[in-house]
Amino acid sequence: MLNPPAYVPILPHYTISAIPSTLTDPTSHRTLKNGLFATRPIPAGSRIIREPALITLPSPGHDPLQLFSAFQALTPHDQEQIMSLNASSPSASAFLTQIGKTIVAEAARLVVISNKPAASRTVQEQERLDTDGPELAQTALLARLAARWHAGRCSLIHGTDTDVGPETPITGLFVETARLRHSCVPNCYARYDTQTGTMTVHTFQQIDVGVELTLSAMPSVYYRTAAERAAELGEKFGIECVCEACDEAEEGFKEHEEKRKAAREMVVSLKALLTEMDKSVGPPGIEGDELYAMAEMLEGPDLEVLNEAVMVLVALIANLTETGGERNPEQIRWYNLLIDRIQPRVVAGLDDDEKLGYWSYICTQAGVAEKLALTAFGADSMEYVDAGKRRQDADRKVQDEKRRLEMVQRSREKLGLPRKATGDAKKNPDMTKTEKKEWEIVGVVEKKKKKGEEVVTDEKGAVLGTIGKYTLTKG
């Protein structure tokens, strides 16, 4: 069992600054006021924030009375920190809209009374001014607080969490994290650690001096069009994004639209393929070694289905690197799906002498996922520990296959049989070194016949060599 290191350094190399559009248009209500900007170069994978929540709320997570009570329990310094955050627009939620109307109406009535000379006010008017004035100030404070909560709150539970009691905190406000504005092309990633009750923020790109640090407030940001994202951001957070993927005037806008539409189509296709796969071998919760053992004993899904699922996932991961960068954390979930649920079934359907190469390929992918987890979560996270275990499990399979093949070879020698050809010996000797490497690791399984023999082909159908019952092709 891997134990995470006890300490990961925090590099808070940023400052709070007004965003450029605020400087040029201070009356604009369409753009948030402040952002965090790098004060020195920040390498990818740096932890820039680790902090506890100043306020947490149980379900439903937005009760205004609970929010105001929690706020009043804070120190004046912490209250000031919250009030310095960017706020949602007054129309961002039904509550903010209603409380805004109430404040405006009540303020108008009190202004009429306060404008009268004190000697000409009636006793009732003076009592109303003395009583309702302070209450209006408290209501206005609640409105300001709610607007900042609405814009900066974070979920403390995952979508798969079902055991949530009535007093379990489900939303929280982390002041430094809340200062990072949303972008649909973010350069930072936030993670809530349920064990320590802290939020961590890591950069997953190299950040240059003066560049704004941003997060995505939407889990589905890489699978939605600009119009869909704008609607959700406005409804949930009361904010408007003007990043390169949302502004039609930006050069890369069209490409972002196409890539994100394609990513969504891949996910829809993948869900259908997974449904078909799960009909063949075990329930969706079975994965890893358990799934591999079950798939070897039972008749698994058709290799064409597995082949298509692998190709869709590989294409989806490539898509996410193009829209979010090489270290885009969104890739991790798809790598895990590929390694845990799909590729063990592929291996189970291969001939024994083909399994070593495929497990080596899986081990390579697990190594990539482990590096991504280190960048997004940090070396002290359980996600990184799990990724390391996944990579170690794949490496163990590689070593097991090597030992098994060596035992087979020794047995053949004792029986006076020739050593069984494996690996490069089975492939066309005219193939280049690069072509052989591609052929070994691409992980695409295809069944083809030529004059009654199983053959290896490239994408154009040209024969590369014979490998056995099933063949790996260049992708």
Side-chain angles (χ1 to χ4, degrees), residues 200-328:
T200 60
V201 179
H202 290 80
T203 60
F204 63 86
Q205 296 178 7
Q206 169 73 31
I207 311 295
D208 295 329
V209 175
V211 172
E212 184 177 5
L213 304 171
T214 57
L215 292 171
S216 172
M218 298 171 56
S220 60
V221 69
Y222 296 108
Y223 313 98
R224 310 287 293 277
T225 64
E228 293 167 340
R229 297 194 305 273
E232 183 173 343
L233 288 171
E235 178 182 351
K236 290 186 176 181
F237 303 100
I239 58 178
E240 180 181 10
C241 183
V242 291
C243 72
E244 65 182 75
C246 293
D247 187 350
E248 294 185 13
E250 292 286 344
E251 182 179 352
F253 173 80
K254 185 177 180 181
E255 183 178 359
H256 274 287
E257 286 288 278
E258 294 173 350
K259 292 292 184 183
R260 294 175 198 235
K261 288 178 183 178
R264 179 166 59 188
E265 292 173 359
M266 293 178 201
V267 171
V268 171
S269 174
L270 190 58
K271 287 182 178 179
L273 290 168
L274 289 173
T275 299
E276 185 173 349
M277 286 168 50
D278 290 331
K279 292 178 182 178
S280 303
V281 180
I286 304 299
E287 51 189 43
D289 285 352
E290 189 176 359
L291 177 61
Y292 178 53
M294 183 178 293
E296 283 196 312
M297 292 186 295
L298 303 176
E299 181 179 353
D302 191 288
L303 283 178
E304 290 185 4
V305 176
L306 293 171
N307 178 27
E308 187 174 356
V310 170
M311 289 191 293
V312 170
L313 272 169
V314 170
L316 178 57
I317 290 170
N319 177 294
L320 292 171
T321 64
E322 292 172 353
T323 54
E326 292 183 0
R327 296 183 177 89
N328 183 358

Side-chain angles (χ1 to χ4, degrees), residues 97-107 109 136 139:
T97 300
Q98 183 57 47
I99 197 172
K101 291 179 179 179
T102 299
I103 291 172
V104 170
E106 184 62 22
R109 287 189 286 268
L136 180 61
T139 303

Side-chain angles (χ1 to χ4, degrees), residues 160-165 168:
T160 55
D161 291 342
T162 57
D163 186 19
V164 179
T168 301

Side-chain angles (χ1 to χ4, degrees), residues 257-465:
E257 286 288 278
E258 294 173 350
K259 292 292 184 183
R260 294 175 198 235
K261 288 178 183 178
R264 179 166 59 188
E265 292 173 359
M266 293 178 201
V267 171
V268 171
S269 174
L270 190 58
K271 287 182 178 179
L273 290 168
L274 289 173
T275 299
E276 185 173 349
M277 286 168 50
D278 290 331
K279 292 178 182 178
S280 303
V281 180
I286 304 299
E287 51 189 43
D289 285 352
E290 189 176 359
L291 177 61
Y292 178 53
M294 183 178 293
E296 283 196 312
M297 292 186 295
L298 303 176
E299 181 179 353
D302 191 288
L303 283 178
E304 290 185 4
V305 176
L306 293 171
N307 178 27
E308 187 174 356
V310 170
M311 289 191 293
V312 170
L313 272 169
V314 170
L316 178 57
I317 290 170
N319 177 294
L320 292 171
T321 64
E322 292 172 353
T323 54
E326 292 183 0
R327 296 183 177 89
N328 183 358
E330 182 64 13
Q331 300 174 73
I332 298 173
R333 60 187 291 205
W334 302 116
Y335 268 117
N336 291 346
L337 175 64
L338 186 65
I339 297 166
D340 290 341
R341 289 185 58 190
I342 297 178
Q343 290 181 322
R345 302 181 183 192
V346 174
V347 178
L350 297 176
D351 283 350
D352 286 345
D353 58 352
E354 300 167 346
K355 292 180 178 180
L356 175 58
Y358 206 94
W359 276 119
S360 297
Y361 172 52
I362 295 175
C363 190
T364 299
Q365 291 178 314
V368 174
E370 183 181 20
K371 291 179 181 178
L372 290 171
L374 177 63
T375 298
F377 305 121
D380 59 350
S381 68
M382 290 310 301
E383 288 88 346
Y384 177 61
V385 172
D386 291 341
K389 182 178 182 298
R390 185 176 285 107
R391 190 257 310 152
Q392 288 183 340
D393 289 343
D395 183 65
R396 176 173 51 81
K397 287 291 187 182
V398 171
Q399 301 308 317
D400 289 346
E401 283 299 317
K402 286 181 178 180
R403 285 190 291 268
R404 186 189 62 78
L405 287 176
E406 186 58 33
M407 289 176 60
V408 170
Q409 298 289 24
R410 287 199 299 266
S411 297
R412 292 178 66 86
E413 290 174 356
K414 288 180 180 180
L415 294 172
L417 300 174
R419 293 181 66 89
K420 191 174 181 181
T422 59
D424 289 350
K426 281 198 166 188
K427 297 191 287 293
N428 188 333
D430 294 330
M431 292 171 63
T432 66
K433 183 177 180 180
T434 301
E435 288 175 329
K436 289 179 180 180
K437 188 64 177 176
E438 291 175 353
W439 182 83
E440 288 174 345
I441 71 170
V442 71
V444 178
V445 180
E446 184 176 354
K447 191 174 182 180
K448 284 189 175 291
K449 286 185 177 292
K450 182 178 178 65
K451 296 181 180 181
E453 297 178 344
E454 301 295 341
V455 298
V456 180
T457 68
D458 64 12
E459 67 273 18
K460 297 180 180 179
V463 177
L464 301 177

Side-chain angles (χ1 to χ4, degrees), residues 54-57 63-85 137-138 140-149 173 175:
L54 287 186
I55 295 177
T56 61
L57 295 183
D63 184 280
L65 296 181
Q66 290 180 330
L67 175 61
F68 197 61
S69 176
F71 176 78
Q72 290 180 313
L74 297 175
T75 65
H77 174 267
D78 287 343
Q79 290 180 352
E80 182 180 351
Q81 290 295 301
I82 290 177
M83 285 305 175
S84 69
L85 297 175
Q138 289 290 89
L141 179 60
L142 173 58
R144 293 177 60 214
L145 171 62
R148 285 152 180 80
W149 172 265
L173 185 63
V175 170

